[in-house]
Amino acid sequence: MEQMSLSLFEIPDGVSQITKTLKNAGFEAFLVGGCVRDLILGKKPKDWDVTTNATPEQIISLFPKTFYENSFGTVGVVTEMAEDPSLEIVEVTPYRLETVYSDFRHPDKVSFSQNLEDDLKRRDFTINALALDEGSDGKASRIVDLYNGQKDIRDHIIRCVGDGNERFSEDALRMLRAVRFLAELGFTINKETADALMLNVKLIQNIAFERIRDEFSKIIMSDEPMIGIIMAQKLGILRYIVPELEESIGVEQNQAHAFAVWEHLLRSLQHASDKKWPLEIRLAALFHDIGKPKSRRKSPETGEWTFYGHEVIGEKMTRKILERLKYPKKVVDQVTTLVRWHMFFSDTEKITHTAVRRMIRNVGQENIWNLMNLRICDRIGTGRPKENPYRFRKYKAMIDEVMRDPVSVGMLKIDGKRIMEVAKINPGPKVGYILNALLEEVLEKPALNTSEYLENMAKKLAILDDTELKKLSEKGKEKKEEIEEIELKKIHQKHHIE
Ligand code: ATP
Ligand code: MG
């Protein structure tokens, strides 16, 4: 048995407590699966799994706080370390035997075993079939590695445990998991495993879209989503998940585009991942031009390709795809909105405040910066090296300008109506003078912006004669313009435009 250096392993106390408790009660207990793989890779595990020869009832009886709601024998043990979300609940599962999945979704029944070997045998890939015994009482920790998983981790290889054909036909989701690990870990899929996968690929059709979606999202959220999607396509998986994407393969564009639509979409997605942007931007990057193949026409005049309305077609297609994949409505709405409006850009001279305001209305304030980031993905995905050219910075500055609260009498904790009430005056220019005079004071000393102070002050100002009051009002207006100018200058500096 091969031995890796275990000294680097960082296993949280909350997790060690659980294996210790099981072992003290006379059971076997191992860390198993993804967490062992990640420990060896020096990555922080997303979650911690423990496998044991104890039964669910025995597990439950050993811990003060547990959850047991599913039919797979897994007991969720609540740890005392809830400040780290990966440690809130550690899943403790009895050794399980491989079972029949006649609906390709759930095992028909779950049966437990007394042997760790049985449990490792049912796992998907060699890199996920490692068990780690932490060792205590002076005993060194050891890794149980029946399928050379440690070597495959070292060689960056994804390989089925045992016969690939059997593994993939038992549970077709494993095919998508193979691609997911490839994208997450930067590994390659072993030749026999890939062959077995392609032989069984049509079984993906039997998998519930919710499960497919979860793996698809993990591919999208990985560091290498471009390679992930390319491999999903090459292996024949993609046509069962997002066949619409395949329509874009080889769809050439004009001179301005270095790449065909397919490659452009993948590069846009990859940039969103390089930037660590959230799921919504990544999905929008992947789908923003999905309407192009359907809208492509050759212009009779210029002989150039046109793609009129591709964003409208793209919006519909994206909605269909995301709904098929059972994404929550919020995600669907956000991504389709981004796809619909990704063509907003225009020449520097044409970027007016009105146009920017309209765009914010179209996509919503909460989405406007996502739209700008999508634009960056689009640019980089087109092969342009510069992420942030002048007109882009100008657009961003204008967004800041129209989204900020302007300096105006609207900021005051008093309005014209209230002034007329407290100062007992009629509508007329005087009301405006008083408002501007009050604004001056508040701009000088923001702490004075209380209704109590302003009402008092309004009463005093109302006694002044009009010429004097008008002078104060002018001063207020000047002060306002001065501050406005400073604020705009700050925005321009922030975006490096003159
Ligand atoms: P992650 O980093 O996403 O948590 P993981 O490998 O831990 O990756 P999980 O879904 O948490 O994946 O599953 C934990 C372990 O359970 C896996 O490492 C694997 O050993 C086993 N496993 C999970 N799903 C399957 C499956 N469909 N078929 C066989 N084994 C599976
Ligand atoms: Mg895991």
Side-chain angles (χ1 to χ4, degrees):
M1 189 175 301
E2 204 175 339
Q3 200 66 50
M4 308 276 293
S5 125
L6 300 186
S7 55
L8 295 171
F9 289 173
E10 294 237 1
I11 298 161
D13 289 344
V15 177
S16 298
Q17 280 310 322
I18 292 174
T19 53
K20 248 182 229 146
T21 303
L22 283 159
K23 287 196 272 186
N24 287 343
F27 298 107
E28 297 173 9
F30 294 85
L31 292 178
V32 72
C35 63
V36 181
R37 178 199 67 221
D38 289 345
L39 284 171
I40 293 174
L41 284 166
K43 290 179 152 209
K44 186 176 184 295
K46 271 192 237 120
D47 41 40
W48 298 86
D49 294 311
V50 171
T51 190
T52 175
N53 62 346
T55 63
E57 293 71 29
Q58 289 167 327
I59 299 168
I60 291 166
S61 73
L62 286 174
F63 298 98
K65 212 168 163 203
T66 57
F67 289 100
Y68 184 55
E69 353 183 275
N70 62 46
S71 47
F72 304 108
T74 298
V75 177
V77 176
V78 181
T79 72
E80 307 286 287
M81 313 186 74
E83 65 286 358
D84 180 343
S86 78
L87 289 175
E88 253 167 51
I89 293 173
V90 171
E91 301 208 319
V92 181
T93 310
Y95 297 154
R96 269 170 50 190
L97 285 160
E98 184 51 279
T99 36
V100 184
Y101 296 67
S102 53
D103 64 351
F104 303 96
R105 286 169 202 203
H106 313 290
D108 294 351
K109 67 173 179 32
V110 174
S111 40
F112 303 133
S113 162
Q114 278 299 309
N115 300 314
L116 174 66
E117 291 71 27
D118 288 330
D119 189 81
L120 296 181
K121 195 163 67 186
R122 71 163 177 97
R123 294 184 180 264
D124 48 5
F125 305 111
T126 59
I127 59 171
N128 291 343
L130 297 164
L132 170 66
D133 179 355
E134 273 194 77
S136 47
D137 309 329
K139 271 194 288 173
S141 47
R142 71 186 166 112
I143 288 183
V144 179
D145 180 3
L146 305 177
Y147 301 98
N148 282 322
Q150 293 173 95
K151 182 173 187 321
D152 282 344
I153 289 177
R154 232 183 4 249
D155 297 343
H156 291 189
I157 284 176
I158 297 158
R159 183 198 316 266
C160 283
V161 169
D163 181 56
N165 237 329
E166 277 172 29
R167 302 348 301 281
F168 290 128
S169 51
E170 280 157 7
D171 180 4
L173 188 76
R174 290 169 184 162
M175 305 189 219
L176 217 57
R177 286 175 58 87
V179 174
R180 189 254 282 192
F181 291 121
L182 170 144
E184 280 184 343
L185 306 172
F187 284 19
T188 53
I189 301 177
N190 154 268
K191 171 85 168 57
E192 278 91 72
T193 295
D195 287 345
L197 190 159
M198 287 189 280
L199 210 61
N200 289 283
V201 72
K202 64 174 188 305
L203 295 176
I204 293 255
Q205 295 172 91
N206 301 307
I207 303 288
F209 271 112
E210 288 83 352
R211 287 182 83 201
I212 292 180
R213 176 208 52 216
D214 289 346
E215 293 300 325
F216 181 72
S217 289
K218 285 181 183 172
I219 295 171
I220 298 294
M221 291 309 291
S222 73
D223 285 349
E224 303 276 6
M226 176 162 171
I227 292 175
I229 302 290
I230 288 175
M231 285 312 293
Q233 196 277 327
K234 285 210 163 115
L235 292 165
I237 296 173
L238 192 63
R239 59 183 280 228
Y240 295 108
I241 307 173
V242 194
E244 295 88 344
L245 268 177
E246 294 205 327
E247 293 169 21
S248 70
I249 296 174
V251 175
E252 296 296 332
Q253 314 192 64
N254 295 318
Q255 292 295 303
H257 288 264
F259 308 112
V261 177
W262 162 252
E263 201 177 346
H264 168 60
L265 292 174
L266 292 173
R267 284 170 179 268
S268 302
L269 164 64
Q270 187 57 48
H271 189 69
S273 166
D274 293 346
K275 286 286 181 180
K276 308 259 178 273
W277 281 334
L279 180 72
E280 288 79 3
I281 297 182
R282 296 186 192 207
L283 289 172
L286 179 60
F287 295 133
H288 75 279
D289 277 347
I290 195 122
K292 274 194 168 177
K294 284 199 165 70
S295 65
R296 189 169 75 151
R297 308 271 181 278
K298 194 151 240 169
S299 156
E301 293 91 39
T302 63
E304 296 260 286
W305 293 113
T306 64
F307 299 95
Y308 294 122
H310 75 270
E311 68 274 32
V312 178
I313 297 176
E315 177 194 26
K316 286 207 187 82
M317 291 175 72
T318 302
R319 179 169 292 278
K320 216 174 129 201
I321 293 165
L322 296 178
E323 283 177 351
R324 180 169 68 230
L325 289 170
K326 309 269 191 254
Y327 277 100
K329 184 175 181 314
K330 205 169 152 258
V331 176
V332 179
D333 288 345
Q334 203 178 345
V335 177
T336 50
T337 301
L338 291 172
V339 171
R340 171 63 184 84
W341 297 108
H342 81 270
M343 294 293 292
F344 67 102
F345 233 54
S346 53
D347 305 326
T348 317
E349 320 79 64
K350 290 191 202 141
I351 309 173
T352 61
H353 283 112
T354 317
V356 172
R357 249 183 231 110
R358 193 181 317 120
M359 186 48 66
I360 295 173
R361 239 188 346 265
N362 287 337
V363 300
Q365 291 207 7
E366 69 291 350
N367 238 338
I368 188 68
W369 296 109
N370 292 337
L371 185 71
M372 299 309 283
N373 288 343
L374 172 60
R375 183 70 205 182
I376 294 175
C377 298
D378 193 352
R379 246 192 102 74
I380 299 296
T382 304
R384 311 225 178 111
K386 211 163 160 195
E387 208 178 70
N388 204 5
Y390 180 80
R391 63 182 179 146
F392 193 76
R393 302 199 304 276
K394 167 114 194 254
Y395 205 107
K396 291 203 282 192
M398 284 172 83
I399 293 173
D400 270 345
E401 284 171 27
V402 305
M403 292 231 297
R404 78 192 226 288
D405 292 326
V407 179
S408 81
V409 294
M411 299 164 31
L412 295 173
K413 289 273 192 300
I414 194 168
D415 61 9
K417 193 163 158 266
R418 187 75 190 133
I419 288 175
M420 292 187 280
E421 278 169 20
V422 296
K424 303 196 174 58
I425 55 172
N426 293 321
K430 204 170 182 136
V431 182
Y433 297 157
I434 294 176
L435 279 169
N436 278 312
L438 292 175
L439 181 63
E440 215 245 317
E441 284 211 50
V442 166
L443 290 177
E444 285 290 345
K445 287 209 187 88
L448 298 181
N449 195 8
T450 66
S451 47
E452 200 192 348
Y453 177 83
L454 295 176
E455 283 171 15
N456 253 322
M457 202 58 207
K459 280 187 228 165
K460 287 185 196 156
L461 288 168
I463 305 166
L464 299 178
D465 69 69
D466 273 11
T467 3
E468 214 170 329
L469 196 51
K470 198 170 171 192
K471 248 193 249 159
L472 291 176
S473 157
E474 288 304 321
K475 266 176 78 185
K477 280 194 199 157
E478 275 165 34
K479 183 89 199 163
K480 174 179 110 174
E481 273 157 30
E482 203 179 295
I483 292 182
E484 280 271 284
E485 222 167 272
I486 293 170
E487 289 203 351
L488 289 181
K489 207 176 229 153
K490 271 195 215 146
I491 290 177
H492 291 181
Q493 277 168 352
K494 174 177 152 201
H495 293 286
H496 307 285
I497 61 169
E498 68 254 15

